[in-house]
Amino acid sequence: MNFNYFIPTRILFGPGTLNKLGSVPLPGRKALIVISAGKSMRQNGYLDRLTGLLEKQNVSYVIFDKILPNPIKSHVMEAAELAKKEGCDFIIGLGGGSSIDSAKSIAVMVKNPGDYWDYIGSGSGKGKPVTNGALPVVAITTTAGTGTEADPWTVITKEETHEKIGFGNDHTFPVLSIVDPELMLTVPPDLTAYQGFDAFFHSVEGYIATVANPVSDALALKSIELIAKYLPAAIKDGNNMEARTQVALANTLAGMVESLSSCTSEHSMEHALSAFHPNIAHGAGLIMLSEAYHSFFMDKSPERYADMARAMGETIEGLLPDEKAAAFIKALLKLQKACGVDSLKMSAYGIKPEEIPTLAENAWHAMGGLFNVDPYTLSMEETVQVMNKAYK
Ligand SMILES: [Zn+2]
């Protein structure tokens, strides 16, 4: 039982916590605010509230507002140049995972020379060490999905090569994260579902990963329990503050799981899907893979799957060991149905069955490391087999 606990992020959690930004110590005097190319941060008034709070603290700012749902490397480089030119000394990511992840990557590129892909550790990345650290990052999350506010990870796509790769180190944890469920009330039902399932799979994968530890286990099971219990209600009524708050908590706990344990190859496979088909929301991709993926793995780690079934409210006492593990699949399908995402299919996103081998190869090429923490190491053939089984 050897483990290494490190999450150096101050997390301010709860309804109304955004307002604390007007008084908490901030890590700099001039911020680059990173938001998406969509209109929601302006329309919902979140950007105005943020800039008002910064002004209250006499902190100046510049805005970079081009981030795409699947954020791309060229925007990281462009925003880092802007931050350097403007003399920004910290980065604020406001929005969903794409804006916050971009903020982390930009923070690295303000302080380090060359190209972002020089520092990426897999695929066509050069794996250079990040010697100069990163600017401090403040994360203000308006979604409950990626857990990026409580982990060091950032996922950026290099469009030319269809590589969607995760990256992070001790310097890319946010120094301060605001998790204010009031900012999540405007997320539409379908995105609430996709993001909630993303958080769910961070916890599920973190629980079955071979690098799981007692701390990540406790957080993962709690997070799985909360999502099973509250996600359907948050989708049904977006203004249900209790459900939004519990799902936000589950997501932050899942982010901690990602910091302390790891995602598994389900995420590698999903990154391949959405790198080739950027119209697929990450969480939707995970949902489409999940039944086939976890059906393959459940007998490789039956006790862990039984624990997760129990956390999801299944009664497993009296069942045979393999039935206990299978109860997880039952609970997973039940949750998908309750969240209205049980009929998603790859064909509807334009994926062709003959693409599967290319996608499986991309999963190994871009994110091969996660296959090493699966409870059983898949061969390429088995990877194709799992993805084929998930194809509808
Ligand atoms: Zn994810």
Side-chain angles (χ1 to χ4, degrees):
M1 199 193 285
N2 295 17
F3 66 86
N4 177 342
Y5 178 95
F6 185 66
I7 304 180
T9 302
R10 179 183 303 283
I11 298 172
L12 301 178
F13 184 94
T17 40
L18 177 61
N19 292 331
K20 298 211 166 137
L21 214 55
S23 53
V24 291
L26 292 173
R29 303 310 308 161
K30 185 169 186 181
L32 179 78
I33 300 174
V34 180
I35 59 173
S36 77
K39 295 194 169 60
S40 62
M41 293 303 117
R42 288 193 169 88
Q43 264 170 5
N44 294 326
Y46 299 161
L47 182 63
D48 279 347
R49 280 183 66 194
L50 169 60
T51 54
L53 292 162
L54 294 177
E55 280 157 20
K56 213 171 134 193
Q57 296 232 44
N58 291 319
V59 167
S60 54
Y61 55 84
V62 184
I63 296 166
F64 184 82
D65 60 0
K66 296 187 182 172
I67 303 301
L68 301 175
N70 276 308
I72 55 174
K73 181 178 83 84
S74 58
H75 285 157
V76 169
M77 296 308 297
E78 185 184 335
E81 275 314 306
L82 176 66
K84 277 194 250 181
K85 197 181 97 203
E86 293 281 347
C88 297
D89 55 3
F90 73 114
I91 314 285
I92 300 177
L94 168 67
S98 52
S99 298
I100 297 172
D101 283 12
S102 298
K104 294 175 179 177
S105 300
I106 294 161
V108 169
M109 292 319 297
V110 174
K111 299 227 3 189
N112 292 276
D115 185 75
Y116 180 64
W117 230 247
D118 292 345
Y119 302 99
I120 297 300
S122 59
S124 65
K126 295 196 183 124
K128 281 196 199 164
V130 175
T131 45
N132 301 338
L135 284 186
V137 171
V138 173
I140 305 167
T141 179
T142 60
T143 66
T146 67
T148 188
E149 72 274 13
D151 73 43
W153 309 116
T154 154
V155 179
I156 300 293
T157 297
K158 185 178 176 188
E159 290 166 293
E160 311 91 272
T161 54
H162 296 296
E163 291 172 293
K164 181 176 176 182
I165 302 185
F167 167 78
N169 54 53
D170 285 358
H171 307 288
T172 51
F173 279 97
V175 296
L176 171 66
S177 289
I178 309 270
V179 186
D180 182 346
E182 283 178 2
L183 306 180
M184 301 170 189
L185 298 177
T186 49
V187 179
D190 56 341
L191 295 183
T192 301
Y194 300 156
Q195 292 157 4
F197 268 96
D198 186 23
F200 176 77
F201 291 119
H202 294 152
S203 292
V204 167
E205 295 173 32
Y207 194 69
I208 61 167
T210 54
V211 292
N213 64 63
V215 184
S216 64
D217 285 352
L219 299 170
L221 288 178
K222 185 67 189 173
S223 159
I224 289 166
E225 176 197 320
L226 292 175
I227 290 170
K229 205 162 161 188
Y230 292 102
L231 184 59
I235 294 165
K236 210 160 281 163
D237 173 12
N239 287 313
N240 181 335
M241 203 56 207
E242 166 75 359
R244 288 286 192 190
T245 303
Q246 298 291 356
V247 172
L249 173 60
N251 174 51
T252 297
L253 298 180
M256 293 174 175
V257 173
E258 288 182 90
S259 295
L260 303 173
S261 177
S262 174
C263 284
T264 63
S265 63
E266 184 177 25
H267 261 70
S268 311
M269 295 181 201
E270 196 302 306
H271 283 196
L273 298 188
S274 50
F276 279 81
H277 297 271
N279 57 331
I280 300 177
H282 172 56
L286 292 169
I287 292 166
M288 294 189 286
L289 288 162
S290 60
E291 184 187 359
Y293 183 88
H294 293 287
S295 297
F296 184 93
F297 278 104
M298 69 185 178
D299 62 348
K300 313 287 189 282
S301 188
E303 281 162 22
R304 298 234 139 206
Y305 277 96
D307 293 343
M308 294 192 289
R310 196 184 294 112
M312 294 176 78
E314 293 294 312
T315 308
I316 58 166
E317 278 61 40
L319 298 180
L320 296 169
D322 55 334
E323 292 172 337
K324 286 183 182 173
F328 172 77
I329 304 296
K330 202 174 123 199
L332 170 68
L333 297 180
K334 220 194 271 176
L335 183 61
Q336 290 185 0
K337 193 146 197 229
C339 294
V341 294
D342 51 324
S343 58
L344 294 178
K345 31 178 190 212
M346 294 191 203
S347 53
Y349 288 96
I351 300 180
K352 302 264 180 304
E354 56 270 26
E355 273 180 74
I356 298 287
T358 311
L359 296 173
E361 261 168 52
N362 178 278
W364 272 93
H365 165 76
M367 299 275 285
L370 299 188
F371 287 86
N372 300 327
V373 299
D374 280 336
Y376 160 91
T377 309
L378 293 167
S379 64
M380 181 61 78
E381 213 182 324
E382 287 165 327
T383 310
V384 172
Q385 184 195 318
V386 168
M387 294 183 83
N388 269 333
K389 196 134 185 254
Y391 188 87
K392 277 191 257 181

PDB file of all heavy atoms in Angstrom, residues 145-146 198 202 258 263 267 271 282 286, ligand 1:
ATOM      1  N   GLY A 145     -18.114  17.959 -15.359  1.00  0.00           N
ATOM      2  CA  GLY A 145     -17.757  16.857 -16.239  1.00  0.00           C
ATOM      3  C   GLY A 145     -16.312  16.441 -16.222  1.00  0.00           C
ATOM      4  O   GLY A 145     -15.994  15.293 -15.954  1.00  0.00           O
ATOM      5  N   THR A 146     -15.401  17.366 -16.460  1.00  0.00           N
ATOM      6  CA  THR A 146     -14.026  16.910 -16.677  1.00  0.00           C
ATOM      7  C   THR A 146     -13.244  16.726 -15.380  1.00  0.00           C
ATOM      8  O   THR A 146     -12.251  16.022 -15.366  1.00  0.00           O
ATOM      9  CB  THR A 146     -13.243  17.914 -17.538  1.00  0.00           C
ATOM     10  OG1 THR A 146     -13.098  19.107 -16.776  1.00  0.00           O
ATOM     11  CG2 THR A 146     -13.968  18.203 -18.820  1.00  0.00           C
ATOM     12  N   ASP A 198     -19.049  11.643 -18.122  1.00  0.00           N
ATOM     13  CA  ASP A 198     -17.586  11.767 -18.180  1.00  0.00           C
ATOM     14  C   ASP A 198     -17.021  11.659 -16.754  1.00  0.00           C
ATOM     15  O   ASP A 198     -16.110  10.872 -16.489  1.00  0.00           O
ATOM     16  CB  ASP A 198     -17.209  13.102 -18.835  1.00  0.00           C
ATOM     17  CG  ASP A 198     -15.705  13.248 -19.058  1.00  0.00           C
ATOM     18  OD1 ASP A 198     -15.004  12.215 -19.118  1.00  0.00           O
ATOM     19  OD2 ASP A 198     -15.232  14.401 -19.172  1.00  0.00           O
ATOM     20  N   HIS A 202     -14.563   8.793 -15.119  1.00  0.00           N
ATOM     21  CA  HIS A 202     -13.281   9.098 -14.452  1.00  0.00           C
ATOM     22  C   HIS A 202     -13.184   8.311 -13.146  1.00  0.00           C
ATOM     23  O   HIS A 202     -12.133   7.781 -12.799  1.00  0.00           O
ATOM     24  CB  HIS A 202     -13.148  10.599 -14.176  1.00  0.00           C
ATOM     25  CG  HIS A 202     -13.053  11.410 -15.421  1.00  0.00           C
ATOM     26  ND1 HIS A 202     -13.472  12.720 -15.482  1.00  0.00           N
ATOM     27  CD2 HIS A 202     -12.625  11.100 -16.664  1.00  0.00           C
ATOM     28  CE1 HIS A 202     -13.287  13.182 -16.711  1.00  0.00           C
ATOM     29  NE2 HIS A 202     -12.776  12.221 -17.453  1.00  0.00           N
ATOM     30  N   GLU A 258      -8.738  11.340 -10.653  1.00  0.00           N
ATOM     31  CA  GLU A 258      -7.815  11.403 -11.799  1.00  0.00           C
ATOM     32  C   GLU A 258      -6.421  11.863 -11.375  1.00  0.00           C
ATOM     33  O   GLU A 258      -5.426  11.513 -12.007  1.00  0.00           O
ATOM     34  CB  GLU A 258      -8.343  12.383 -12.844  1.00  0.00           C
ATOM     35  CG  GLU A 258      -9.548  11.878 -13.593  1.00  0.00           C
ATOM     36  CD  GLU A 258      -9.968  12.904 -14.634  1.00  0.00           C
ATOM     37  OE1 GLU A 258      -9.476  12.826 -15.760  1.00  0.00           O
ATOM     38  OE2 GLU A 258     -10.770  13.788 -14.297  1.00  0.00           O
ATOM     39  N   CYS A 263      -7.176   7.389 -15.419  1.00  0.00           N
ATOM     40  CA  CYS A 263      -8.157   6.850 -16.352  1.00  0.00           C
ATOM     41  C   CYS A 263      -7.568   5.593 -16.984  1.00  0.00           C
ATOM     42  O   CYS A 263      -6.359   5.353 -16.905  1.00  0.00           O
ATOM     43  CB  CYS A 263      -8.473   7.873 -17.441  1.00  0.00           C
ATOM     44  SG  CYS A 263      -9.538   9.208 -16.871  1.00  0.00           S
ATOM     45  N   HIS A 267     -10.729   5.729 -22.030  1.00  0.00           N
ATOM     46  CA  HIS A 267     -10.472   7.112 -22.439  1.00  0.00           C
ATOM     47  C   HIS A 267      -9.607   7.187 -23.694  1.00  0.00           C
ATOM     48  O   HIS A 267      -9.790   8.078 -24.518  1.00  0.00           O
ATOM     49  CB  HIS A 267      -9.855   7.910 -21.283  1.00  0.00           C
ATOM     50  CG  HIS A 267     -10.875   8.742 -20.562  1.00  0.00           C
ATOM     51  ND1 HIS A 267     -11.853   8.186 -19.770  1.00  0.00           N
ATOM     52  CD2 HIS A 267     -11.116  10.084 -20.556  1.00  0.00           C
ATOM     53  CE1 HIS A 267     -12.636   9.149 -19.299  1.00  0.00           C
ATOM     54  NE2 HIS A 267     -12.211  10.307 -19.762  1.00  0.00           N
ATOM     55  N   HIS A 271     -10.856   9.128 -27.009  1.00  0.00           N
ATOM     56  CA  HIS A 271     -10.107  10.223 -27.645  1.00  0.00           C
ATOM     57  C   HIS A 271      -9.933   9.964 -29.136  1.00  0.00           C
ATOM     58  O   HIS A 271      -9.950  10.892 -29.941  1.00  0.00           O
ATOM     59  CB  HIS A 271      -8.750  10.408 -26.959  1.00  0.00           C
ATOM     60  CG  HIS A 271      -8.861  11.126 -25.647  1.00  0.00           C
ATOM     61  ND1 HIS A 271      -7.780  11.690 -25.006  1.00  0.00           N
ATOM     62  CD2 HIS A 271      -9.932  11.385 -24.857  1.00  0.00           C
ATOM     63  CE1 HIS A 271      -8.180  12.260 -23.880  1.00  0.00           C
ATOM     64  NE2 HIS A 271      -9.486  12.081 -23.766  1.00  0.00           N
ATOM     65  N   HIS A 282     -17.189  14.348 -25.781  1.00  0.00           N
ATOM     66  CA  HIS A 282     -16.355  13.340 -25.102  1.00  0.00           C
ATOM     67  C   HIS A 282     -17.197  12.365 -24.273  1.00  0.00           C
ATOM     68  O   HIS A 282     -17.038  11.141 -24.369  1.00  0.00           O
ATOM     69  CB  HIS A 282     -15.341  14.099 -24.240  1.00  0.00           C
ATOM     70  CG  HIS A 282     -14.521  13.260 -23.330  1.00  0.00           C
ATOM     71  ND1 HIS A 282     -13.753  12.210 -23.774  1.00  0.00           N
ATOM     72  CD2 HIS A 282     -14.343  13.321 -21.979  1.00  0.00           C
ATOM     73  CE1 HIS A 282     -13.125  11.661 -22.732  1.00  0.00           C
ATOM     74  NE2 HIS A 282     -13.467  12.317 -21.636  1.00  0.00           N
ATOM     75  N   LEU A 286     -17.758   8.214 -24.583  1.00  0.00           N
ATOM     76  CA  LEU A 286     -17.551   7.253 -23.484  1.00  0.00           C
ATOM     77  C   LEU A 286     -18.795   6.395 -23.274  1.00  0.00           C
ATOM     78  O   LEU A 286     -18.696   5.176 -23.090  1.00  0.00           O
ATOM     79  CB  LEU A 286     -17.216   7.998 -22.187  1.00  0.00           C
ATOM     80  CG  LEU A 286     -15.865   8.708 -22.143  1.00  0.00           C
ATOM     81  CD1 LEU A 286     -15.793   9.620 -20.922  1.00  0.00           C
ATOM     82  CD2 LEU A 286     -14.713   7.707 -22.126  1.00  0.00           C
TER      83      LEU A 286
HETATM   84 ZN    ZN B   1     -12.927  12.269 -19.574  1.00  0.00          ZN
END
